[in-house]
Amino acid sequence: MSKAIRIHQTGGPEVLSWEEVDIGDPLAGQVRMRHTAVGLNFIDVYQRTGLYPLPGLPQTLGMEGAGVITHIGEDTGDFSPGDRVAYAMDLGSYSEERLIATDRLVKIPETISDQTAAAMMLQGMTARYLLKNSYPVRPGDTILVMAAAGGVGLILCQWAKFLGARVIGCVGSASKAYLAKANGCDYVILYKEENIAEKVGEITGGEGASVSYDSIGKATLEASLDSLRPTGTLVSFGNASGPVTDLNLGVLAAKGSLYVQRPTLASYVRTRPLLQQCADDLFNIVETGMVNINIGQTYPLAETARAQQELEDRKTTGSSVLIP
Ligand SMILES: NC(=O)c1ccc[n+]([C@@H]2O[C@H](COP(=O)([O-])OP(=O)(O)OC[C@H]3O[C@@H](n4cnc5c(N)ncnc54)[C@H](OP(=O)(O)O)[C@@H]3O)[C@@H](O)[C@H]2O)c1
């Protein structure tokens, strides 16, 4: 027997329960792995509350992990017991052990620790598709990043800076502003007290930003749109303050022929080749030192409820890792 954090109903952090689970043997194309580190992500909160649907209940939550293969089924290609592996966007990582299909796994390079892998797979591959696919950043672009001191935020800002962008980050406190500036932000807006669009206007001489990468959702929709230059792009990729449900398309014309995308990482890693390419690009930028993965806090896996509460209360910075 091994243990996992499961839910039997959606709700607040109190529905997360630390339980014994039966893992079983891997089927063809699967391995059994033992987690050494598990990533904490805001999507876990959306799944716990019911904002994002789950395939069924009870359910082991968690979408990202790293560890070691202990058993293999048939047809597992070049994966063997003892391999260090990591993954993102596969439900069930809040567990000491799990079964997982090999087409969702990548091998962790020797230079990258398990904790770093668990901290960066989901947030780092997200930063990559945002910067390279959703709105491909070019040198000289001015970009706006919400929650710049968060998990996705710190990776995104560093990577954008490496690509030659001028980065404006929005954060909720002075200490987060300091962190964002140390990780790629040229300018920081304290969005609890400053007007985002006015500040972006001042910084860009009235032109506006090329893109707003907005993970806050409902509370910042208007500010994001008002901060864009004509024909600029809003990439609305999260709902930390609540989902955007009522955007009138006519507003996009009135505010300057704007573009909007509502993406998910799942689309960009939907096949094995796409996943490997995305992961390789992330490993490369981290191994060359251009992007540093900031693990702001770790928690015992058994205390995931506390970790999720702190994430929701805006108390965390950078990435959070759960230790089985
Ligand atoms: N679509 C995708 O593919 C995808 C993939 C990964 C993540 N995401 C999204 O990206 C966002 C960031 O994820 P993350 O895991 O890296 O989390 P995070 O940014 O580390 O944490 C969320 C941050 O959002 C800010 N925030 C603003 N208003 C908030 C509110 N009402 N409640 C809670 N937080 C609020 C807080 O920073 P301040 O105190 O600085 O405001 C908080 O620290 C999430 O919305 C997540 O869903 C989307």
Side-chain angles (χ1 to χ4, degrees):
M1 280 291 193
S2 80
K3 294 190 99 172
I5 294 280
R6 300 217 300 169
I7 61 168
H8 294 257
Q9 62 188 74
T10 55
E14 69 283 353
V15 301
L16 297 164
S17 104
W18 182 231
E19 298 173 2
E20 290 209 331
V21 287
D22 192 7
I23 307 297
D25 297 321
L27 303 173
Q30 286 186 331
V31 301
R32 179 168 169 158
M33 67 179 286
R34 181 174 53 77
H35 285 127
T36 50
V38 171
L40 175 74
N41 292 282
F42 223 96
I43 189 172
D44 309 346
V45 173
Y46 306 145
Q47 290 177 328
R48 191 205 71 217
T49 59
L51 178 65
Y52 287 1
L54 289 165
L57 291 171
Q59 190 65 240
T60 301
L61 295 187
M63 297 287 275
E64 175 182 44
V68 62
I69 293 176
T70 54
H71 304 79
I72 55 170
E74 289 173 14
D75 302 325
T76 52
D78 65 344
F79 287 97
S80 314
D83 285 349
R84 293 171 61 238
V85 290
Y87 64 91
M89 299 305 277
D90 204 278
L91 195 58
S93 68
Y94 283 2
S95 53
E96 292 175 330
E97 292 180 281
R98 69 170 298 173
L99 301 179
I100 187 165
T102 50
D103 63 4
R104 304 314 304 155
L105 289 178
V106 295
K107 293 188 185 177
I108 306 173
E110 268 180 28
T111 55
I112 292 178
S113 72
D114 291 10
Q115 283 202 21
T116 298
M120 76 179 187
M121 289 294 290
L122 200 152
Q123 295 167 351
M125 292 197 296
T126 296
R128 179 197 183 270
Y129 85 70
L130 291 172
L131 293 166
K132 297 201 172 187
N133 301 107
S134 295
Y135 174 85
V137 164
R138 289 176 295 266
D141 275 339
T142 299
I143 74 164
L144 182 61
V145 181
M146 301 297 172
V152 175
L154 287 182
I155 300 174
L156 181 65
C157 292
Q158 293 176 79
W159 206 328
K161 191 75 199 152
F162 171 72
L163 293 172
R166 189 160 68 137
V167 183
I168 307 173
C170 292
V171 297
S173 70
S175 59
K176 288 187 178 184
Y178 180 80
L179 189 61
K181 278 209 163 180
N183 287 276
C185 284
D186 298 290
Y187 303 89
V188 174
I189 298 173
L190 289 165
Y191 51 9
K192 285 182 185 163
E193 50 209 69
E194 294 178 306
N195 182 296
I196 297 175
E198 271 177 29
K199 291 297 288 185
V200 173
E202 279 171 29
I203 294 165
T204 60
E207 169 73 358
S210 299
V211 59
S212 175
Y213 294 111
D214 189 338
S215 62
I216 310 292
K218 190 176 180 147
T220 47
L221 172 71
E222 187 97 10
S224 275
L225 294 175
D226 287 342
S227 298
L228 294 174
R229 65 162 164 73
T231 73
T233 300
L234 164 62
V235 185
S236 177
F237 71 101
N239 326 278
S241 69
V244 173
T245 51
D246 54 354
L247 176 60
N248 173 357
L249 291 184
V251 168
L252 303 180
K255 291 187 189 282
S257 306
L258 304 178
Y259 295 83
V260 176
Q261 189 200 23
R262 177 58 178 91
T264 168
L265 174 61
S267 310
Y268 294 94
V269 293
R270 67 190 182 279
T271 65
R272 168 89 214 164
L274 284 172
L275 169 67
Q276 191 66 58
Q277 185 188 21
C278 221
D280 285 347
D281 221 15
L282 174 64
F283 292 147
N284 185 50
I285 196 101
V286 171
E287 284 184 304
T288 53
M290 299 306 166
V291 169
N292 180 40
I293 303 301
N294 292 270
I295 299 177
Q297 46 284 308
T298 62
Y299 307 85
L301 179 60
E303 294 178 28
T304 299
R306 177 167 66 87
Q308 285 202 356
Q309 186 70 64
E310 291 188 5
L311 183 63
E312 287 180 89
D313 290 346
R314 306 168 74 160
K315 289 183 177 155
T316 63
T317 56
S319 307
S320 304
V321 176
L322 308 167
I323 309 297

